[in-house]
């Protein structure tokens, strides 16, 4: 696998790169956020590992710019900030995971493997199994990574796309916050975190705001459901 590591702490960068290179992976290192963004956009990487505090341009704005330009490469954030609010903010940028410092290499490696496994499953599945998911006038095409409603194309960030795909696969079923965390993030967060609420709100603003009927509904204290009434 080929990774891009954007990290300005030389010791941490060397530590991470050494671990992955010993496993046979290729690791490119960039210490500046602005230059790291250019490398991410120009390079063909399987995964990006991005620190938050960077010279040139901070890591969160780097990720936001990558997503705005349509780059869907999996991203793991590294940060010394540990609060729920910081994690939510990090995930709102379009990152796929958030790992706080200090961390063990084995944990980072496990997170990387989980993201790559999920990415591989999406990319290698048989396109003939499910070419599109439909609900009312909403259409999601999993393998083209496109979403339309009433014929209008809707641009989603990777997490938003994953959540919508999960909801379309479970039409009419109430999905609890725990289920969403386990299926969209593949591991558990603090149950008090509002990261799911934030993601649902973002998705609803794109799917429902300018359309009728409303499709994404919240059942307070229970979860979320895709329905027409």
């Amino acid at each position: 696998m080929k990774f891009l590591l954007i990290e300005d702490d030389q010791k941490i960068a060397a530590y991470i790169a050494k671990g992955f290179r010993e496993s046979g992976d290729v690791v490119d290192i960039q210490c500046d956020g602005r230059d790291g963004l250019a490398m991410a956009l120009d390079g063909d990487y399987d995964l990006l590992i991005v620190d938050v505090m960077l010279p040139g341009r901070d890591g969160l704005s780097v990720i936001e710019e990558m997503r705005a330009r349509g780059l869907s490469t999996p991203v793991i954030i590294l940060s010394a900030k540990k609060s729920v609010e910081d994690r939510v903010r990090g995930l709102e940028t379009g990152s796929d995971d958030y790992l706080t410092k200090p961390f063990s290499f084995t944990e980072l490696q496990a997170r990387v493997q989980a993201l790559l496994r999920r990415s591989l499953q999406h990319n290698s599945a048989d396109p003939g199994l499910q070419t599109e998911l439909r609900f009312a006038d909403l259409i999601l095409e999993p393998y083209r990574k496109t979403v339309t409603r009433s014929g209008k194309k809707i641009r989603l960030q990777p997490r938003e796309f994953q959540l919508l795909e999960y909801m379309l696969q479970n039409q009419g079923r109430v999905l609890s916050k725990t289920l969403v965390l386990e299926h969209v993030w593949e591991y558990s967060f603090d149950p008090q975190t509002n990261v799911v609420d934030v993601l649902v709100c973002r998705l609803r603003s794109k799917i429902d705001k300018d359309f009728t009927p409303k499709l994404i509904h919240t059942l307070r204290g229970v979860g979320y459901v895709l329905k027409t009434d």
Side-chain angles (χ1 to χ4, degrees):
M1 292 293 175
K2 185 179 179 182
F3 305 145
L4 173 60
L5 172 60
I6 309 177
E7 168 64 70
D8 64 328
D9 187 310
Q10 294 184 2
K11 289 185 178 180
I12 292 178
Y15 167 69
I16 293 172
K18 180 176 182 292
F20 284 115
R21 286 167 179 166
E22 287 177 347
S23 298
D25 299 308
V26 175
V27 181
D28 290 340
I29 301 174
Q30 179 53 252
C31 63
D32 180 89
R34 188 177 294 107
D35 292 337
L37 174 61
M39 289 181 67
L41 294 173
D42 293 338
D44 184 19
Y45 295 101
D46 297 294
L47 183 133
L48 310 176
I49 302 172
V50 182
D51 186 26
V52 171
M53 303 301 292
L54 293 167
R57 185 166 184 168
D58 72 89
L60 298 186
S61 70
V62 167
I63 297 168
E64 287 176 327
E65 181 69 18
M66 290 190 301
R67 296 311 189 211
R69 297 198 187 190
L71 187 69
S72 60
T73 307
V75 178
I76 294 180
I77 286 178
L78 300 180
S79 176
K81 299 181 178 180
K82 302 180 180 181
S83 72
V84 171
E85 291 75 16
D86 289 321
R87 284 187 289 165
V88 170
R89 172 65 182 131
L91 294 167
E92 282 181 333
T93 63
S95 65
D96 299 276
D97 205 345
Y98 189 103
L99 186 59
T100 58
K101 299 177 181 180
F103 57 87
S104 69
F105 177 75
T106 54
E107 181 179 9
L108 174 60
Q109 189 175 44
R111 301 281 187 97
V112 166
Q113 290 172 348
L115 284 179
L116 292 175
R117 187 163 55 246
R118 185 170 66 230
S119 178
L120 183 61
Q121 288 170 349
H122 276 289
N123 293 333
S124 64
D126 182 1
L129 293 178
Q130 213 168 24
T131 56
E132 66 179 31
L133 295 168
R134 286 177 174 262
F135 186 74
D137 57 348
L138 177 66
I139 302 174
L140 180 149
E141 296 181 82
Y143 305 103
R144 294 179 60 190
K145 300 296 182 185
T146 60
V147 175
T148 59
R149 185 164 184 193
S150 295
K152 181 180 179 181
K153 189 172 182 179
I154 299 172
R155 188 171 187 172
L156 300 181
Q157 293 186 358
R159 285 287 184 210
E160 296 165 352
F161 187 93
Q162 288 175 298
L163 174 58
L164 181 60
E165 184 176 19
Y166 181 50
M167 296 187 79
L168 283 165
Q169 291 168 342
N170 293 273
Q171 299 175 22
R173 177 188 177 192
V174 179
L175 302 174
S176 68
K177 183 182 294 187
T178 299
L179 281 174
V180 174
L181 285 170
E182 290 178 351
H183 285 80
V184 176
W185 277 274
E186 293 192 349
Y187 62 90
S188 297
F189 277 85
D190 182 334
Q192 301 304 313
T193 181
N194 67 342
V195 65
V196 175
D197 303 305
V198 171
L199 184 61
V200 171
C201 183
R202 277 179 18 211
L203 180 61
R204 183 182 282 124
S205 71
K206 296 181 179 181
I207 296 300
D208 280 343
K209 183 178 180 181
D210 299 323
F211 303 93
T212 55
K214 304 307 179 187
L215 302 181
I216 300 174
H217 299 266
T218 299
L219 302 181
R220 292 192 178 279
V222 182
Y224 315 92
V225 62
L226 197 67
K227 62 179 184 177
T228 55
D229 53 16

